[in-house]
Amino acid sequence: MNELMGRLLELFIGFFRANIVGYGGGPATIPLIEAEAVSKFKWLTQEEFANALAMGNTLPGPIATKIAGYVGYHVAGWLGAAVALIATIAPTVLAMIVLYSALLRFKGSPVVQGMISGVRPIVWVLFITLALDYLTFVKTAPAIGLAVVAFGVIYLLQWHPVIAVVMGLVLGGIFLRPPVA
């Protein structure tokens, strides 16, 4: 029982910490969650986390909660999933209540406007860091080609990202599957 309680406490601390400082939504918190899950607590390997992130992105809903549910379940079953989800959601709920109240009161303040402007470049760096970390998983020519096509249809043609995700699932299932032993 003590071992389970220790894992649940670690899950709560790891996900609460990642999400209390995560600014900009789920995608911006992914590098913070990854740091907790892979580097700090070693619940998953880098590759396991990348696979969970990839599969989570194919499903509807916020990515941070999907990753929390998956990692929590991986570490401590259904109870672990519940604890990780609560720790993921609680900072946002608490922060929104406090910050919304403050924003209403000080929305015209140049200091508040400057703080918001100052944190935007940091979120941009978090996105770039996440993208660079996962470039190592695009190793083969077909995977690189698929990434280029996905970038083109999402960014240049401005197609909905769901089309690229479905395209990735279908083409990956055909061209990127490992050989059958």
Side-chain angles (χ1 to χ4, degrees), residues 1-11 72 75-80 83:
M1 186 66 167
N2 283 341
E3 182 182 340
L4 176 62
M5 292 304 290
R7 285 187 292 184
L8 294 174
L9 181 60
E10 285 180 348
L11 281 168
V75 172
W78 288 107
L79 190 56
V83 167

mmCIF file with all atom_site columns, all heavy atoms in Angstrom, residues 1-11 72 75-80 83:
data_model
loop_
_atom_site.group_PDB
_atom_site.id
_atom_site.type_symbol
_atom_site.label_atom_id
_atom_site.label_alt_id
_atom_site.label_comp_id
_atom_site.label_asym_id
_atom_site.label_entity_id
_atom_site.label_seq_id
_atom_site.pdbx_PDB_ins_code
_atom_site.Cartn_x
_atom_site.Cartn_y
_atom_site.Cartn_z
_atom_site.occupancy
_atom_site.B_iso_or_equiv
_atom_site.pdbx_formal_charge
_atom_site.auth_seq_id
_atom_site.auth_comp_id
_atom_site.auth_asym_id
_atom_site.auth_atom_id
_atom_site.pdbx_PDB_model_num
ATOM 1   N N   . MET A 1 1  ? 0.821  -1.200 0.000   1.00 0.00 ? 1  MET A N   1
ATOM 2   C CA  . MET A 1 1  ? 0.000  0.000  0.000   1.00 0.00 ? 1  MET A CA  1
ATOM 3   C C   . MET A 1 1  ? 0.865  1.264  0.000   1.00 0.00 ? 1  MET A C   1
ATOM 4   O O   . MET A 1 1  ? 0.553  2.223  -0.675  1.00 0.00 ? 1  MET A O   1
ATOM 5   C CB  . MET A 1 1  ? -0.939 -0.033 1.211   1.00 0.00 ? 1  MET A CB  1
ATOM 6   C CG  . MET A 1 1  ? -1.921 1.083  1.239   1.00 0.00 ? 1  MET A CG  1
ATOM 7   S SD  . MET A 1 1  ? -3.073 0.948  -0.127  1.00 0.00 ? 1  MET A SD  1
ATOM 8   C CE  . MET A 1 1  ? -4.293 2.099  0.347   1.00 0.00 ? 1  MET A CE  1
ATOM 9   N N   . ASN A 1 2  ? 1.967  1.255  0.777   1.00 0.00 ? 2  ASN A N   1
ATOM 10  C CA  . ASN A 1 2  ? 2.850  2.425  0.825   1.00 0.00 ? 2  ASN A CA  1
ATOM 11  C C   . ASN A 1 2  ? 3.481  2.702  -0.532  1.00 0.00 ? 2  ASN A C   1
ATOM 12  O O   . ASN A 1 2  ? 3.675  3.859  -0.899  1.00 0.00 ? 2  ASN A O   1
ATOM 13  C CB  . ASN A 1 2  ? 3.934  2.246  1.884   1.00 0.00 ? 2  ASN A CB  1
ATOM 14  C CG  . ASN A 1 2  ? 3.381  2.469  3.290   1.00 0.00 ? 2  ASN A CG  1
ATOM 15  O OD1 . ASN A 1 2  ? 2.334  3.068  3.445   1.00 0.00 ? 2  ASN A OD1 1
ATOM 16  N ND2 . ASN A 1 2  ? 4.092  1.966  4.285   1.00 0.00 ? 2  ASN A ND2 1
ATOM 17  N N   . GLU A 1 3  ? 3.812  1.621  -1.269  1.00 0.00 ? 3  GLU A N   1
ATOM 18  C CA  . GLU A 1 3  ? 4.403  1.812  -2.600  1.00 0.00 ? 3  GLU A CA  1
ATOM 19  C C   . GLU A 1 3  ? 3.401  2.477  -3.536  1.00 0.00 ? 3  GLU A C   1
ATOM 20  O O   . GLU A 1 3  ? 3.749  3.399  -4.273  1.00 0.00 ? 3  GLU A O   1
ATOM 21  C CB  . GLU A 1 3  ? 4.850  0.464  -3.176  1.00 0.00 ? 3  GLU A CB  1
ATOM 22  C CG  . GLU A 1 3  ? 5.518  0.600  -4.531  1.00 0.00 ? 3  GLU A CG  1
ATOM 23  C CD  . GLU A 1 3  ? 5.924  -0.742 -5.125  1.00 0.00 ? 3  GLU A CD  1
ATOM 24  O OE1 . GLU A 1 3  ? 6.035  -1.724 -4.374  1.00 0.00 ? 3  GLU A OE1 1
ATOM 25  O OE2 . GLU A 1 3  ? 6.120  -0.785 -6.346  1.00 0.00 ? 3  GLU A OE2 1
ATOM 26  N N   . LEU A 1 4  ? 2.148  2.025  -3.490  1.00 0.00 ? 4  LEU A N   1
ATOM 27  C CA  . LEU A 1 4  ? 1.103  2.632  -4.320  1.00 0.00 ? 4  LEU A CA  1
ATOM 28  C C   . LEU A 1 4  ? 0.895  4.092  -3.937  1.00 0.00 ? 4  LEU A C   1
ATOM 29  O O   . LEU A 1 4  ? 0.805  4.958  -4.817  1.00 0.00 ? 4  LEU A O   1
ATOM 30  C CB  . LEU A 1 4  ? -0.210 1.858  -4.192  1.00 0.00 ? 4  LEU A CB  1
ATOM 31  C CG  . LEU A 1 4  ? -1.407 2.460  -4.941  1.00 0.00 ? 4  LEU A CG  1
ATOM 32  C CD1 . LEU A 1 4  ? -1.147 2.498  -6.441  1.00 0.00 ? 4  LEU A CD1 1
ATOM 33  C CD2 . LEU A 1 4  ? -2.668 1.684  -4.618  1.00 0.00 ? 4  LEU A CD2 1
ATOM 34  N N   . MET A 1 5  ? 0.840  4.387  -2.664  1.00 0.00 ? 5  MET A N   1
ATOM 35  C CA  . MET A 1 5  ? 0.651  5.771  -2.221  1.00 0.00 ? 5  MET A CA  1
ATOM 36  C C   . MET A 1 5  ? 1.812  6.648  -2.671  1.00 0.00 ? 5  MET A C   1
ATOM 37  O O   . MET A 1 5  ? 1.606  7.797  -3.059  1.00 0.00 ? 5  MET A O   1
ATOM 38  C CB  . MET A 1 5  ? 0.479  5.839  -0.700  1.00 0.00 ? 5  MET A CB  1
ATOM 39  C CG  . MET A 1 5  ? -0.827 5.221  -0.208  1.00 0.00 ? 5  MET A CG  1
ATOM 40  S SD  . MET A 1 5  ? -2.298 5.936  -0.975  1.00 0.00 ? 5  MET A SD  1
ATOM 41  C CE  . MET A 1 5  ? -2.293 7.545  -0.240  1.00 0.00 ? 5  MET A CE  1
ATOM 42  N N   . GLY A 1 6  ? 3.026  6.093  -2.619  1.00 0.00 ? 6  GLY A N   1
ATOM 43  C CA  . GLY A 1 6  ? 4.200  6.835  -3.088  1.00 0.00 ? 6  GLY A CA  1
ATOM 44  C C   . GLY A 1 6  ? 4.111  7.152  -4.571  1.00 0.00 ? 6  GLY A C   1
ATOM 45  O O   . GLY A 1 6  ? 4.421  8.269  -5.001  1.00 0.00 ? 6  GLY A O   1
ATOM 46  N N   . ARG A 1 7  ? 3.673  6.166  -5.371  1.00 0.00 ? 7  ARG A N   1
ATOM 47  C CA  . ARG A 1 7  ? 3.529  6.395  -6.817  1.00 0.00 ? 7  ARG A CA  1
ATOM 48  C C   . ARG A 1 7  ? 2.421  7.408  -7.100  1.00 0.00 ? 7  ARG A C   1
ATOM 49  O O   . ARG A 1 7  ? 2.565  8.258  -7.976  1.00 0.00 ? 7  ARG A O   1
ATOM 50  C CB  . ARG A 1 7  ? 3.258  5.080  -7.540  1.00 0.00 ? 7  ARG A CB  1
ATOM 51  C CG  . ARG A 1 7  ? 4.515  4.222  -7.660  1.00 0.00 ? 7  ARG A CG  1
ATOM 52  C CD  . ARG A 1 7  ? 4.281  3.024  -8.507  1.00 0.00 ? 7  ARG A CD  1
ATOM 53  N NE  . ARG A 1 7  ? 3.349  2.154  -7.759  1.00 0.00 ? 7  ARG A NE  1
ATOM 54  C CZ  . ARG A 1 7  ? 2.953  0.974  -8.133  1.00 0.00 ? 7  ARG A CZ  1
ATOM 55  N NH1 . ARG A 1 7  ? 3.360  0.476  -9.266  1.00 0.00 ? 7  ARG A NH1 1
ATOM 56  N NH2 . ARG A 1 7  ? 2.142  0.253  -7.388  1.00 0.00 ? 7  ARG A NH2 1
ATOM 57  N N   . LEU A 1 8  ? 1.332  7.331  -6.358  1.00 0.00 ? 8  LEU A N   1
ATOM 58  C CA  . LEU A 1 8  ? 0.234  8.288  -6.550  1.00 0.00 ? 8  LEU A CA  1
ATOM 59  C C   . LEU A 1 8  ? 0.675  9.702  -6.190  1.00 0.00 ? 8  LEU A C   1
ATOM 60  O O   . LEU A 1 8  ? 0.340  10.663 -6.892  1.00 0.00 ? 8  LEU A O   1
ATOM 61  C CB  . LEU A 1 8  ? -0.989 7.878  -5.733  1.00 0.00 ? 8  LEU A CB  1
ATOM 62  C CG  . LEU A 1 8  ? -1.675 6.579  -6.155  1.00 0.00 ? 8  LEU A CG  1
ATOM 63  C CD1 . LEU A 1 8  ? -2.784 6.218  -5.166  1.00 0.00 ? 8  LEU A CD1 1
ATOM 64  C CD2 . LEU A 1 8  ? -2.205 6.657  -7.573  1.00 0.00 ? 8  LEU A CD2 1
ATOM 65  N N   . LEU A 1 9  ? 1.429  9.821  -5.104  1.00 0.00 ? 9  LEU A N   1
ATOM 66  C CA  . LEU A 1 9  ? 1.944  11.138 -4.717  1.00 0.00 ? 9  LEU A CA  1
ATOM 67  C C   . LEU A 1 9  ? 2.896  11.679 -5.781  1.00 0.00 ? 9  LEU A C   1
ATOM 68  O O   . LEU A 1 9  ? 2.826  12.855 -6.148  1.00 0.00 ? 9  LEU A O   1
ATOM 69  C CB  . LEU A 1 9  ? 2.646  11.064 -3.355  1.00 0.00 ? 9  LEU A CB  1
ATOM 70  C CG  . LEU A 1 9  ? 3.205  12.378 -2.820  1.00 0.00 ? 9  LEU A CG  1
ATOM 71  C CD1 . LEU A 1 9  ? 2.090  13.411 -2.642  1.00 0.00 ? 9  LEU A CD1 1
ATOM 72  C CD2 . LEU A 1 9  ? 3.939  12.153 -1.510  1.00 0.00 ? 9  LEU A CD2 1
ATOM 73  N N   . GLU A 1 10 ? 3.782  10.825 -6.301  1.00 0.00 ? 10 GLU A N   1
ATOM 74  C CA  . GLU A 1 10 ? 4.683  11.243 -7.380  1.00 0.00 ? 10 GLU A CA  1
ATOM 75  C C   . GLU A 1 10 ? 3.898  11.690 -8.609  1.00 0.00 ? 10 GLU A C   1
ATOM 76  O O   . GLU A 1 10 ? 4.235  12.696 -9.235  1.00 0.00 ? 10 GLU A O   1
ATOM 77  C CB  . GLU A 1 10 ? 5.634  10.112 -7.764  1.00 0.00 ? 10 GLU A CB  1
ATOM 78  C CG  . GLU A 1 10 ? 6.746  9.860  -6.786  1.00 0.00 ? 10 GLU A CG  1
ATOM 79  C CD  . GLU A 1 10 ? 7.655  8.719  -7.231  1.00 0.00 ? 10 GLU A CD  1
ATOM 80  O OE1 . GLU A 1 10 ? 7.296  7.970  -8.180  1.00 0.00 ? 10 GLU A OE1 1
ATOM 81  O OE2 . GLU A 1 10 ? 8.736  8.579  -6.629  1.00 0.00 ? 10 GLU A OE2 1
ATOM 82  N N   . LEU A 1 11 ? 2.863  10.933 -8.973  1.00 0.00 ? 11 LEU A N   1
ATOM 83  C CA  . LEU A 1 11 ? 2.023  11.317 -10.114 1.00 0.00 ? 11 LEU A CA  1
ATOM 84  C C   . LEU A 1 11 ? 1.399  12.686 -9.887  1.00 0.00 ? 11 LEU A C   1
ATOM 85  O O   . LEU A 1 11 ? 1.417  13.547 -10.782 1.00 0.00 ? 11 LEU A O   1
ATOM 86  C CB  . LEU A 1 11 ? 0.923  10.279 -10.355 1.00 0.00 ? 11 LEU A CB  1
ATOM 87  C CG  . LEU A 1 11 ? 1.327  9.019  -11.083 1.00 0.00 ? 11 LEU A CG  1
ATOM 88  C CD1 . LEU A 1 11 ? 0.231  7.961  -10.987 1.00 0.00 ? 11 LEU A CD1 1
ATOM 89  C CD2 . LEU A 1 11 ? 1.645  9.317  -12.544 1.00 0.00 ? 11 LEU A CD2 1
ATOM 90  N N   . GLY A 1 72 ? -0.644 8.046  -16.006 1.00 0.00 ? 72 GLY A N   1
ATOM 91  C CA  . GLY A 1 72 ? -1.168 7.645  -14.709 1.00 0.00 ? 72 GLY A CA  1
ATOM 92  C C   . GLY A 1 72 ? -1.596 6.192  -14.692 1.00 0.00 ? 72 GLY A C   1
ATOM 93  O O   . GLY A 1 72 ? -1.285 5.450  -13.746 1.00 0.00 ? 72 GLY A O   1
ATOM 94  N N   . VAL A 1 75 ? 1.453  3.913  -14.709 1.00 0.00 ? 75 VAL A N   1
ATOM 95  C CA  . VAL A 1 75 ? 2.181  3.892  -13.437 1.00 0.00 ? 75 VAL A CA  1
ATOM 96  C C   . VAL A 1 75 ? 1.388  3.199  -12.324 1.00 0.00 ? 75 VAL A C   1
ATOM 97  O O   . VAL A 1 75 ? 1.954  2.429  -11.550 1.00 0.00 ? 75 VAL A O   1
ATOM 98  C CB  . VAL A 1 75 ? 2.561  5.335  -13.009 1.00 0.00 ? 75 VAL A CB  1
ATOM 99  C CG1 . VAL A 1 75 ? 3.134  5.370  -11.608 1.00 0.00 ? 75 VAL A CG1 1
ATOM 100 C CG2 . VAL A 1 75 ? 3.546  5.933  -14.005 1.00 0.00 ? 75 VAL A CG2 1
ATOM 101 N N   . ALA A 1 76 ? 0.076  3.475  -12.241 1.00 0.00 ? 76 ALA A N   1
ATOM 102 C CA  . ALA A 1 76 ? -0.678 2.988  -11.075 1.00 0.00 ? 76 ALA A CA  1
ATOM 103 C C   . ALA A 1 76 ? -2.123 2.614  -11.398 1.00 0.00 ? 76 ALA A C   1
ATOM 104 O O   . ALA A 1 76 ? -2.999 2.764  -10.540 1.00 0.00 ? 76 ALA A O   1
ATOM 105 C CB  . ALA A 1 76 ? -0.630 4.040  -9.966  1.00 0.00 ? 76 ALA A CB  1
ATOM 106 N N   . GLY A 1 77 ? -2.389 2.160  -12.597 1.00 0.00 ? 77 GLY A N   1
ATOM 107 C CA  . GLY A 1 77 ? -3.734 1.705  -12.937 1.00 0.00 ? 77 GLY A CA  1
ATOM 108 C C   . GLY A 1 77 ? -4.746 2.835  -12.971 1.00 0.00 ? 77 GLY A C   1
ATOM 109 O O   . GLY A 1 77 ? -4.405 4.004  -13.162 1.00 0.00 ? 77 GLY A O   1
ATOM 110 N N   . TRP A 1 78 ? -6.023 2.456  -12.789 1.00 0.00 ? 78 TRP A N   1
ATOM 111 C CA  . TRP A 1 78 ? -7.103 3.438  -12.873 1.00 0.00 ? 78 TRP A CA  1
ATOM 112 C C   . TRP A 1 78 ? -6.990 4.534  -11.825 1.00 0.00 ? 78 TRP A C   1
ATOM 113 O O   . TRP A 1 78 ? -7.292 5.692  -12.100 1.00 0.00 ? 78 TRP A O   1
ATOM 114 C CB  . TRP A 1 78 ? -8.467 2.743  -12.760 1.00 0.00 ? 78 TRP A CB  1
ATOM 115 C CG  . TRP A 1 78 ? -8.796 1.962  -13.986 1.00 0.00 ? 78 TRP A CG  1
ATOM 116 C CD1 . TRP A 1 78 ? -8.799 0.603  -14.112 1.00 0.00 ? 78 TRP A CD1 1
ATOM 117 C CD2 . TRP A 1 78 ? -9.137 2.479  -15.262 1.00 0.00 ? 78 TRP A CD2 1
ATOM 118 N NE1 . TRP A 1 78 ? -9.124 0.249  -15.400 1.00 0.00 ? 78 TRP A NE1 1
ATOM 119 C CE2 . TRP A 1 78 ? -9.343 1.387  -16.132 1.00 0.00 ? 78 TRP A CE2 1
ATOM 120 C CE3 . TRP A 1 78 ? -9.287 3.768  -15.782 1.00 0.00 ? 78 TRP A CE3 1
ATOM 121 C CZ2 . TRP A 1 78 ? -9.691 1.542  -17.466 1.00 0.00 ? 78 TRP A CZ2 1
ATOM 122 C CZ3 . TRP A 1 78 ? -9.634 3.912  -17.112 1.00 0.00 ? 78 TRP A CZ3 1
ATOM 123 C CH2 . TRP A 1 78 ? -9.828 2.819  -17.932 1.00 0.00 ? 78 TRP A CH2 1
ATOM 124 N N   . LEU A 1 79 ? -6.549 4.187  -10.638 1.00 0.00 ? 79 LEU A N   1
ATOM 125 C CA  . LEU A 1 79 ? -6.375 5.191  -9.597  1.00 0.00 ? 79 LEU A CA  1
ATOM 126 C C   . LEU A 1 79 ? -5.278 6.186  -9.986  1.00 0.00 ? 79 LEU A C   1
ATOM 127 O O   . LEU A 1 79 ? -5.411 7.392  -9.784  1.00 0.00 ? 79 LEU A O   1
ATOM 128 C CB  . LEU A 1 79 ? -6.057 4.525  -8.257  1.00 0.00 ? 79 LEU A CB  1
ATOM 129 C CG  . LEU A 1 79 ? -6.067 5.421  -7.026  1.00 0.00 ? 79 LEU A CG  1
ATOM 130 C CD1 . LEU A 1 79 ? -7.404 6.153  -6.884  1.00 0.00 ? 79 LEU A CD1 1
ATOM 131 C CD2 . LEU A 1 79 ? -5.781 4.602  -5.782  1.00 0.00 ? 79 LEU A CD2 1
ATOM 132 N N   . GLY A 1 80 ? -4.213 5.673  -10.577 1.00 0.00 ? 80 GLY A N   1
ATOM 133 C CA  . GLY A 1 80 ? -3.140 6.541  -11.067 1.00 0.00 ? 80 GLY A CA  1
ATOM 134 C C   . GLY A 1 80 ? -3.625 7.476  -12.162 1.00 0.00 ? 80 GLY A C   1
ATOM 135 O O   . GLY A 1 80 ? -3.259 8.652  -12.203 1.00 0.00 ? 80 GLY A O   1
ATOM 136 N N   . VAL A 1 83 ? -5.661 10.244 -10.469 1.00 0.00 ? 83 VAL A N   1
ATOM 137 C CA  . VAL A 1 83 ? -4.798 11.203 -9.760  1.00 0.00 ? 83 VAL A CA  1
ATOM 138 C C   . VAL A 1 83 ? -4.079 12.115 -10.751 1.00 0.00 ? 83 VAL A C   1
ATOM 139 O O   . VAL A 1 83 ? -4.023 13.336 -10.568 1.00 0.00 ? 83 VAL A O   1
ATOM 140 C CB  . VAL A 1 83 ? -3.790 10.464 -8.847  1.00 0.00 ? 83 VAL A CB  1
ATOM 141 C CG1 . VAL A 1 83 ? -2.691 11.392 -8.354  1.00 0.00 ? 83 VAL A CG1 1
ATOM 142 C CG2 . VAL A 1 83 ? -4.522 9.828  -7.672  1.00 0.00 ? 83 VAL A CG2 1
#
